[in-house]
Amino acid sequence: MRNWTLAIAMVLGGINAQAQYAFLGQWYNEEKTSKLEIYEQDGKFFGKIIWLEVLTNSDGTTPRRDEYNPNPDLQHRQLQNLVILENLVWDAEDKEWQNGLIYDPEVGKTYECYCKMQPDGTLYFKGYILGITWLGRSTTWTRK
């Protein structure tokens, strides 16, 4: 009986570890105007922009930059390779990635966030402010 309990615990632990890394890889944003790469670093998860449908700013000539950022010192950053998802950690009990930050370069705002894998394989992100999950917005990303 003890061997079965140990075997079941090992299998469930392996399944949980697989779930934790299930969202690594490339994803399209909801509008499919950018592609993002989610990666793991030091036990936390991050995401950066790796492709943009529109390559230039609103002026039509300069490379796409973080022009809507409210901080003038950051408006020069190029969106290509910009990290917009930071510090997510896996919560095995809730089966979601939590305690992260997500930046929306279209409006220049950063939100606290959590993320869940949906049954259809999409990623549901909820960005919120002031620690209040209903005070924010959500988006869904699809696999490349």
Side-chain angles (χ1 to χ4, degrees):
M1 181 71 165
R2 185 171 157 226
N3 289 340
W4 280 106
T5 304
L6 180 59
I8 290 169
M10 289 175 63
V11 167
L12 292 177
I15 291 170
N16 188 39
Q18 283 180 324
Q20 176 179 354
Y21 295 101
F23 82 147
L24 293 177
Q26 296 181 5
W27 298 85
Y28 282 109
N29 68 343
E30 193 162 340
E31 302 79 15
K32 295 201 176 12
T33 56
S34 62
K35 191 184 314 175
L36 303 110
E37 175 82 33
I38 296 179
Y39 58 96
E40 186 263 341
Q41 182 177 317
D42 299 325
K44 294 184 178 184
F45 298 93
F46 298 81
K48 67 180 178 178
I49 299 171
I50 60 169
W51 174 84
L52 295 163
E53 181 179 52
V54 178
L55 298 174
T56 59
N57 274 338
S58 57
D59 65 10
T61 59
T62 57
R64 229 26 227 282
R65 299 197 184 276
D66 195 8
E67 65 182 320
Y68 301 113
N69 195 305
N71 182 342
D73 293 336
L74 299 179
Q75 292 174 354
H76 73 281
R77 302 185 300 180
Q78 286 194 20
L79 291 186
Q80 186 77 22
N81 294 314
L82 181 66
V83 175
I84 64 164
L85 184 64
E86 299 181 44
N87 297 317
L88 280 166
V89 293
W90 174 248
D91 184 302
E93 186 175 321
D94 291 336
K95 293 183 178 36
E96 66 185 24
W97 297 269
Q98 302 177 344
N99 301 322
L101 296 174
I102 190 166
Y103 175 68
D104 182 351
E106 296 299 319
V107 295
K109 293 187 179 189
T110 300
Y111 303 90
E112 298 171 71
C113 76
Y114 69 87
C115 172
K116 289 185 175 195
M117 183 76 69
Q118 300 298 298
D120 66 358
T122 60
L123 285 179
Y124 170 81
F125 283 91
K126 177 67 177 191
Y128 54 94
I129 57 174
L130 304 173
I132 304 168
T133 57
W134 56 266
L135 190 56
R137 46 192 270 212
S138 61
T139 188
T140 302
W141 295 359
T142 55
R143 274 269 180 215
K144 173 193 173 258

